């Protein structure tokens, strides 16, 4: 600034000041431009008082100030273009991921048994993650067994071989997806209601682990319904003998309804994550309502499939030992977010008891009771969940302070399409709970206490020791 005006170098010092803003923020760039302009003006005044002011001096200062403005303007435009390109690239990646997830849902959705589901899932996951290979199989005593699939087919697989410990054991604190072999192999699990888990082995994935985690979350509910579909397909001959209507019901709700609902849910979640740009709050609320409605329809489809299973006349598979406390805790975890959203607290006090039966069906019976309690209990209240031994039986009681069943409706409470509580419902939940209880040698009852509490009690025979 104090360099004599005859030296052009002094007038050009403001350009590097503007150039130094290239790595900063927009605000920093504007601040440095202001410093450059102020420095030039101050230098012009100081030099004019010291050496006088000539047209040449004015020209030098003007050139210096214009250079700073030009560099600063170009800096801002370059930064904006870079940020815009980064946003477009991120949006492109997000849209590509959502398209891939939709393809995954469409590939594995349908009237498939678990073997076909596993084969389709392996191929779809390989395409989604860009992996060198994807292998899926049931883990039984550290050995990989059927249902099993390997993509691409014909490669070196692990079917029938003992798996190493680092593949079997999930590291403490790991997420749904964890890595072994220096990160070259990604692992995850798909749980099954009353069978061993399915192990996913993804080798040489090009996509990050969160892509596989999102795919596993998408596949899990489809696998659950596939297990139920397997049970129904085993009785296909009986269903055909009992009428074409029941058969149409099974296939309609296993494919024609579920597939578009799952695809629609993927689209709505993508919109909520910003795949199509920012949305007004009113639109976001509408999308959340749509997801809730989708979930209700999928739950109804599951209930109708179970009704079809029990109405077929031979709904019982081979009974297995079931830790009823674990089943109830799993349902509490699932229902708790919905209850908390209404200001309702779930308070479980559970003894460890074991019964004989089907874990998936018992889970549905427990979920029906807890869903009703969480829906009808007044905000700010507590739903008490008690599991205890009662002689040679296990008794699960669900107490809530809701309005209860209207007088005269108790007799039909557990019949089909006879919803009895405030707000109604599909009329299948309590009926299905009764059918499941009876199929397991138990019962479900309703009482109203003197303290105006509704009590639903599911009673089941204890497992013989």
């Amino acid at each position: 600034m104090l360099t004599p005006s005859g030296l052009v170098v002094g007038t050009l010092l403001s350009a590097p000041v503007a150039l130094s803003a290239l790595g900063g923020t927009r605000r920093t760039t504007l601040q440095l431009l202001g410093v450059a302009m102020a420095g030039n003006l101050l230098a012009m005044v100081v030099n004019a008082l010291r050496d006088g002011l000539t047209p040449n001096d004015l020209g030098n200062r003007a050139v210096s100030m214009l250079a700073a403005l030009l560099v600063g303007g170009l800096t801002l435009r370059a930064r904006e273009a870079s940020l815009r390109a980064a946003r477009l690239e991120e949006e492109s990646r997000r849209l590509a991921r959502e398209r891939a997830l939709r393809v995954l849902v469409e590939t594995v959705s349908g009237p498939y048994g678990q073997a076909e589901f596993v084969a389709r899932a392996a191929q779809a996951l390989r395409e989604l993650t860009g992996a060198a290979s994807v292998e899926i199989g049931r883990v039984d005593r550290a050995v990989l067994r059927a249902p099993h699939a390997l993509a691409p087919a014909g490669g070196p697989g692990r079917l029938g071989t003992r798996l190493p410990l680092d593949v079997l054991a999930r590291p403490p604190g790991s997420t749904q997806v964890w890595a072994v072999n220096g990160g070259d192999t990604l692992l995850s699990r798909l749980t099954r209601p009353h069978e061993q888990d399915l192990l996913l082995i993804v080798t040489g994935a090009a996509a990050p682990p969160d892509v596989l985690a999102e795919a596993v979350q998408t596949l899990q509910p489809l696998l659950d319904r596939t297990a139920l579909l397997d049970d129904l397909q085993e009785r296909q001959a009986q269903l055909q003998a009992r009428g074409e209507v029941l058969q149409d019901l099974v296939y309609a709700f296993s494919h024609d309804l579920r597939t578009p609902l799952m695809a629609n849910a993927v689209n709505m979640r993508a919109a909520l994550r910003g795949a199509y740009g920012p949305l007004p709050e009113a639109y976001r609320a509408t999308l959340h309502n749509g997801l809730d409605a989708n979930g209700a329809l999928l739950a109804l489809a599951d209930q109708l499939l179970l009704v079809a299973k029990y109405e077929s006349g031979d709904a019982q598979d081979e009974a297995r030992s079931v830790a009823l406390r674990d089943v109830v805790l799993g349902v509490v975890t699932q229902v708790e977010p919905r209850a908390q959203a209404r200001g309702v607290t779930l308070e479980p006090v559970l003894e460890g008891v074991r019964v004989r039966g089907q874990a998936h069906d018992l889970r549905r019976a427990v979920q029906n009771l807890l869903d009703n309690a969480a829906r009808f209990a007044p905000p700010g209240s507590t739903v008490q969940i008690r599991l205890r031994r009662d002689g040679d039986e296990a008794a699960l009681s669900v107490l809530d302070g809701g309005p209860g069943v209207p007088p005269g409706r108790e007799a039909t409470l557990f019949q089909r399409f006879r919803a009895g509580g405030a707000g109604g419902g599909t009329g299948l939940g309590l009926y299905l709970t009764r059918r499941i209880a009876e199929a397991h040698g138990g019962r479900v009852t309703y009482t109203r206490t003197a303290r105006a509490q509704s009590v639903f009690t599911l009673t089941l025979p204890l497992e013989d020791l």
Side-chain angles (χ1 to χ4, degrees):
M1 181 178 70
L2 301 179
T3 303
S5 58
L7 296 178
V8 178
V9 173
T11 67
L12 296 179
L13 287 177
S14 58
V17 174
L19 284 171
S20 68
L22 283 171
T25 63
R26 176 183 177 89
R27 181 178 180 181
T28 302
T29 302
L30 294 175
Q31 289 174 343
L32 289 176
L33 276 175
V35 170
M37 296 299 102
N40 271 281
L41 291 174
L42 182 59
M44 182 178 68
V45 172
V46 171
N47 285 327
L49 294 175
R50 184 179 60 192
D51 304 324
L53 188 64
T54 67
N56 187 46
D57 298 337
L58 289 173
N60 285 339
R61 289 300 170 187
V63 169
S64 179
M65 295 174 72
L66 288 174
L69 288 172
L70 178 61
V71 171
L74 291 176
T75 300
L76 291 175
R77 289 180 63 87
R79 286 181 56 79
E80 291 173 356
S82 176
L83 291 174
R84 196 159 48 243
R87 285 195 297 268
L88 289 174
E89 183 179 356
E90 177 63 24
E91 182 177 357
S92 177
R93 285 197 298 266
R94 186 167 56 247
L95 288 174
R97 180 184 299 186
E98 298 301 337
R99 284 195 296 269
L101 286 174
R102 284 197 296 272
V103 171
L104 175 67
V105 170
E106 293 169 358
T107 300
V108 301
S109 293
Y112 306 128
Q114 292 195 52
E116 179 70 12
F117 174 90
V118 167
R120 287 174 168 268
Q123 183 60 40
L125 285 174
R126 181 170 180 256
E127 295 175 359
L128 175 67
T129 61
S133 68
V134 173
E135 189 168 9
I136 305 176
R138 173 175 61 93
V139 179
D140 182 17
R141 299 179 182 178
V143 177
L144 202 64
R145 303 189 186 279
H148 172 271
L150 175 65
R158 301 171 178 83
L159 180 62
T161 62
R162 182 170 293 275
L163 300 172
L165 183 60
D166 61 341
V167 172
L168 292 171
R170 178 182 299 183
S174 63
T175 58
Q176 190 173 23
V177 175
W178 67 100
V180 296
N181 298 334
D184 183 63
T185 302
L186 299 179
L187 303 171
S188 187
R189 285 178 180 262
L190 288 169
T191 60
R192 298 193 292 174
H194 46 73
E195 297 181 88
Q196 293 96 338
D197 292 349
L198 296 179
L199 179 65
L200 279 67
I201 306 174
V202 181
T203 305
D210 63 308
V211 173
L212 179 59
E214 192 170 2
V216 170
Q217 292 175 356
T218 302
L219 287 173
Q220 185 62 64
L222 294 172
L223 176 62
D224 293 343
R225 294 179 180 88
T226 300
L228 178 58
L229 183 60
D230 270 350
D231 292 339
L232 293 172
Q233 287 177 335
E234 291 177 2
R235 296 167 180 79
Q236 183 176 2
Q238 297 178 12
L239 293 175
Q240 290 175 344
R242 292 175 183 274
E244 292 294 330
V245 174
L246 187 59
Q247 183 181 18
D248 291 342
L249 177 68
V250 172
Y251 283 100
F253 279 94
S254 65
H255 179 57
D256 295 340
L257 178 62
R258 190 174 71 231
T259 299
L261 285 176
M262 291 296 295
N264 194 32
V266 168
N267 287 331
M268 287 190 285
R269 290 193 185 98
L272 287 170
R273 285 193 293 267
Y276 311 111
L279 297 175
E281 284 302 317
Y283 286 5
R284 296 181 64 85
T286 300
L287 288 174
H288 281 297
N289 291 338
L291 283 173
D292 291 342
N294 261 30
L297 285 173
L298 287 170
L300 175 60
D302 283 346
Q303 287 184 334
L304 287 173
L305 285 171
L306 270 178
V307 167
K309 174 181 174 181
Y310 279 89
E311 291 286 352
S312 66
D314 185 16
Q316 285 294 340
D317 296 331
E318 180 183 353
R320 300 171 182 266
S321 178
V322 179
L324 193 57
R325 181 179 185 272
D326 294 343
V327 172
V328 177
L329 281 176
V331 175
V332 169
T333 301
Q334 181 179 351
V335 174
E336 197 162 28
R338 297 195 295 272
Q340 291 176 346
R342 297 191 63 251
V344 175
T345 301
L346 301 184
E347 183 183 273
V349 177
L350 312 175
E351 292 184 20
V353 297
R354 301 191 74 89
V355 299
R356 299 287 296 179
Q358 313 302 316
H360 180 273
D361 293 2
L362 291 173
R363 179 183 178 86
R364 169 55 63 183
V366 174
Q367 183 172 344
N368 288 340
L369 296 181
L370 266 62
D371 277 338
N372 280 348
R375 184 166 66 247
F376 296 141
S381 65
T382 298
V383 174
Q384 301 177 35
I385 306 162
R386 303 288 183 264
L387 177 61
R388 68 188 188 281
R389 295 174 180 268
D390 186 7
D392 58 354
E393 295 179 321
L396 173 68
S397 299
V398 180
L399 296 79
D400 69 83
V405 179
R409 298 287 294 278
E410 293 91 344
T412 60
L413 182 60
F414 297 98
Q415 295 182 12
R416 201 168 35 196
F417 305 118
R418 299 294 182 114
T426 64
L428 289 175
L430 292 176
Y431 164 75
L432 192 53
T433 300
R434 176 178 68 83
R435 291 299 302 266
I436 293 172
E438 292 173 348
H440 287 76
R443 61 192 180 278
V444 61
T445 60
Y446 165 81
T447 57
R448 188 74 173 171
T449 69
R451 302 176 62 181
Q453 286 183 309
S454 294
V455 184
F456 285 89
T457 302
L458 174 63
T459 305
L460 300 168
L462 288 172
E463 181 181 32
D464 294 332
L465 299 178

